[in-house]
Structures are given as C-alpha cells and as structure tokens.
Amino acid sequence: MTFTPSRRETLLGAASLLAAAGCSQSAPAPSPSLASLAAEKGLKFGTAMNSRQLSDPRYIDLVLKECAVIVAENEHKMYTIQPSPDAMDFSRGDALAAFARENGLGMRGHTVVWHHPRWLPDWINNSVFGSAAEAEAELTRYINAVASRDQDVIYSWDVINEAVDDQTGELRETSYSRAMGGGAEVIDFCFRQTKEAAPNATLAYNDYMSWEPGTQNHRRGVLRLLEELKKRGTPIDALGIQSHSNYGMPDEFTAERKREWKAFVDEVVGMGLDIYLTEFDVNDTRLDPDPALRDRLIATYTEEYLGMMLDYPQTKDILLWGMVDKDSWLQTFLPRDDGVEKRPVPWDSDYQPKPMREAIARALKAAPAR
Ligand code: XIL
C-alpha cells in the first residue's frame, strides 16, 4: 500500500521546508543578537569569559550567539601571568585569545597593571626598587611581554585598573609609585610603554567610580587623574567605566544621582575621551529575594543606565562581566545575607534569558548611531 499524506501533513511539510529555507511567513523571526543590534549603532557588545568556560558548551553557545568581543575575567592579570618572579605563564590568556581568533571575535585586554596592592602579586608588593629606573625597567619587561601578544585579536587594553582610592580620591601607593615618585608617573609610564608594545590597540584607564552614594571623592579623583594625563600628553583614548553597581541598589538610581553621574561623564567626554562600559552587571544584594521582582528592577535599571550611557556617541563598547548568574563573581564577592542566589547578569543559571536581556536590546535599539 502506498502512503498518501493528508492535506494537513502536506501543508505542515511545506511549512517546515519553507521555515528551513528561512522564508516562512508564520515562523517567528529570529530575534537579532545583542552584538548585531550594537553593531547597527557602531557599538561593540561582548562579555567577560574565563578559561574554565572554554569547556562549557552552553556558555560558548551564548557567547557565539550574542557577542562580538570577549575579555578575560582573570587570565590577563599579573596575578595569573606572573604570580611569582620565576616564570611567566601565558597559557590561559592565549587559550582565550585563540578562542576569539577561531570564532572571529575581538578581545579586550584586561589589565596590564592593576595598580592596587590588594591585587598585585606579593613579590611586586614586597619589591623595593633601588631607583625609578629600576622600577621602569621591571614595568618595561612585563608590559612588552604581555601587550605584544595576540595583537591580531586584542584591539584594546585596560592599561591601568583601579588606581584611585575610592575613599580619598588619591592615587594608590604601590612599590612602583614609591620608586617612581608617584602614581601619576607610574600610570603615564605604563600607557607610553603599552603604546610602544601594542601600537594599534586603543588604551583605557579603567575604574569602578559610579553614581552610587558616597562615591564623589572617587569620581573627583578619577577626573583629576584624567586631567593630569591629558596635561602630560599621555596616549590615553578612553575611560573604562566598569559599571558594576557595588553597594547601590538598582532602585536607588534617583534623578539627583543621575544628574551627578551625567555631570561626571560630561567632564570625561569634554576631555576628548571615549567611554567603554567594561564590566556591566547589576548587584541585587539588598533587594527583596522574590526573583521576578528583582528581575523587574534590574531590567528597569539596565535600560535607564545603558540608555543614558549610550546616548553619548563617545560610548563605543559595552561588555558584561559574565553572562550567566551562577558564574557571576558577585555570588561570592558580595553574597546576599540570606544566601539566595544573585541575579546580576542577563541569563539565569539554566542559561535562559531574563528580562535584563531584553532591556539591553531595547537600550541598543534606542541608541543613536555613532
Ligand atoms: C574579578 C573577577 O571576576 C574575580 O573572579 C576575581 O576573583 C577578582 O576580580 N573589577 C575588575 C575585575 O576590574 O577585574 C574584577 O574581576 C571585578 C571588579
């Protein structure tokens, strides 16, 4: 007996053929990726990624679907590359760069020198350089080795991270600054040396100053530093605004705080600098534990914050500090008192999108082209 398909089966078969060919009328259009929405406006969209996630197919899938760039969560930091003076280990940073290369992604380098004693290796903190020249020689050796690698994918470096004390606004003291006569000397030197080692990369100063209460000294200190660098002719292209909310909650981004924050960003772009949003996530430490409520507040804040920042044509990059909740650094760095899992990034721990993902899409769609 020959099998005769019913009319309904024939129609279904035709519909799936059309859908497979990408010309179905009824199938929902695939929603554009965040990377493509960003690219339409002249922006780059991406995420932090760590070398463990290189063996997580679900994470990789999200990165490849949504992102045009990655940044290493820890693999380009001095404490990973040279935790002790004996040897340098580039394997983990190179593995992430190779992943970027193989998949046609760009990469941001984070960070040449995290100018903060808490995050410098002990052997640097304990070094007593005999002179400025000795400290400069050590920085030159390190910078040349790090910034010259993987230049085909690394299009931008955070040359210096977090050099401004968030309480006083003064530059932090390190073994380098003690030898070189001050923090500004170290920072200026590192930018010039990175420029030599990676002449095609754009160079940023990266920090976590923000709109949050009590951050005025931090913002002032960063402006002072940027002014000083401009005066010295330091080759700096951009301010990296990490965009973590550390202690302020998403529902505390009040009109007054928006005004203060905007005044800060106006000053930065007024100096001729670009803006990179380098580490965006939203802290929900003190929000009501109800997940739906948190997701709503986080999405609202995301759209408002990114809306404001993307209105500046000087904003060029926007990177998340991770894509899925369970891997977010905030789960352990700033855990909730009630032990409930935090929801700081756009995908939940099952890799499903939350309202924050659509909020980013809306902000990108609303952004002016640059
Ligand atoms: C964090 C990483 O996410 C953690 O895994 C690590 O233990 C500490 O550093 N600002 C920065 C990033 O510039 O480098 C930090 O990354 C998060 C805050």
Side-chain angles (χ1 to χ4, degrees):
M1 195 178 107
T2 47
F3 172 67
T4 318
S6 69
R7 182 178 148 73
R8 182 178 149 71
E9 279 162 341
T10 313
L11 283 175
L12 281 175
S16 58
L17 272 179
L18 279 173
C23 44
S24 162
Q25 290 284 312
S26 52
S31 70
S33 71
L34 296 179
S36 66
L37 291 173
E40 276 175 32
K41 302 299 170 67
L43 282 152
K44 293 199 190 73
F45 182 83
T47 186
M49 181 171 181
N50 60 50
S51 44
R52 200 181 34 74
Q53 288 162 334
L54 283 173
S55 42
D56 177 351
R58 293 203 286 172
Y59 197 84
I60 287 180
D61 195 47
L62 270 189
V63 172
L64 296 183
K65 268 200 193 122
E66 299 279 9
C67 298
V69 300
I70 59 166
V71 59
E73 185 171 2
N74 292 300
E75 288 75 356
H76 279 139
K77 295 172 181 172
M78 197 184 285
Y79 65 66
T80 304
I81 292 176
Q82 197 167 14
S84 64
D86 326 318
M88 300 181 95
D89 178 0
F90 294 102
S91 57
R92 280 173 281 174
D94 284 353
L96 286 162
F99 170 79
R101 185 176 297 116
E102 281 153 21
N103 292 289
L105 303 173
M107 186 167 196
R108 297 203 69 250
H110 173 81
T111 170
V112 183
V113 175
W114 195 339
H115 199 252
H116 185 328
R118 176 173 176 191
W119 302 102
L120 281 167
D122 286 346
W123 70 277
I124 289 290
N125 283 328
N126 299 333
S127 291
V128 181
F129 298 106
S131 62
E134 240 180 64
E136 288 173 10
E138 167 52 26
L139 281 168
T140 301
R141 176 198 67 79
Y142 184 79
I143 293 172
N144 286 352
V146 173
S148 62
R149 292 182 89 81
D150 300 312
Q151 293 195 50
D152 57 325
V153 285
I154 301 179
Y155 66 93
S156 178
W157 272 102
D158 291 333
V159 177
I160 298 286
N161 198 34
E162 300 182 358
V164 176
D165 183 294
D166 60 13
Q167 296 302 305
T168 64
E170 300 298 321
L171 294 178
R172 298 184 204 274
E173 190 181 304
T174 64
S175 57
Y176 303 120
S177 69
R178 282 192 288 275
M180 290 169 67
E185 278 69 23
V186 179
I187 296 167
D188 175 65
F189 184 85
C190 290
F191 272 89
R192 290 177 196 277
Q193 197 54 45
T194 305
K195 187 82 199 159
E196 266 193 58
N200 297 322
T202 62
L203 305 185
Y205 171 73
N206 193 54
D207 211 330
Y208 57 87
M209 68 282 126
S210 76
W211 53 266
E212 296 166 86
T215 58
Q216 203 178 34
N217 285 350
H218 198 188
R219 288 194 301 265
R220 281 208 192 112
V222 168
L223 289 179
R224 260 201 313 273
L225 169 65
L226 296 176
E227 275 159 14
E228 174 68 23
L229 297 179
K230 289 309 274 185
K231 206 164 76 200
R232 287 172 182 243
T234 309
I236 176 173
D237 299 293
L239 174 66
I241 297 178
Q242 292 185 3
S243 307
H244 302 291
S245 49
N246 291 294
Y247 302 101
M249 290 298 103
D251 52 355
E252 294 166 3
F253 193 36
T254 58
E256 191 190 336
R257 287 179 186 142
K258 283 177 189 158
R259 259 198 311 279
E260 273 182 34
W261 178 240
K262 201 168 176 319
F264 168 81
V265 183
D266 285 346
E267 295 256 4
V268 174
V269 299
M271 291 185 221
L273 294 169
D274 277 344
I275 301 280
Y276 306 148
L277 308 179
T278 51
E279 308 182 13
F280 182 62
D281 55 19
V282 184
N283 196 4
D284 58 357
T285 316
R286 288 185 283 106
L287 291 184
D288 184 284
D290 173 36
L293 178 60
R294 277 187 286 157
D295 286 356
R296 211 164 45 244
L297 293 173
I298 288 171
T300 303
Y301 166 75
T302 295
E303 196 170 351
E304 284 184 4
Y305 178 78
L306 294 183
M308 176 190 285
M309 297 310 295
L310 299 182
D311 263 349
Y312 289 92
Q314 291 88 347
T315 300
K316 300 287 165 62
D317 283 15
I318 153 170
L319 281 84
L320 305 170
W321 204 245
M323 298 183 85
V324 298
D325 285 337
K326 71 182 168 64
D327 292 350
S328 166
W329 72 301
L330 290 169
Q331 303 293 359
T332 48
F333 194 81
L334 290 171
R336 288 175 60 95
D337 286 343
D338 59 11
V340 166
E341 188 181 65
K342 302 181 83 173
R343 301 176 70 79
V345 289
W347 283 268
D348 70 15
S349 294
D350 283 325
Y351 302 75
Q352 297 307 306
K354 296 179 296 172
M356 187 183 180
R357 195 259 173 213
E358 271 319 295
I360 298 173
R362 282 195 300 275
L364 290 169
K365 284 181 195 156
R370 61 219 63 213

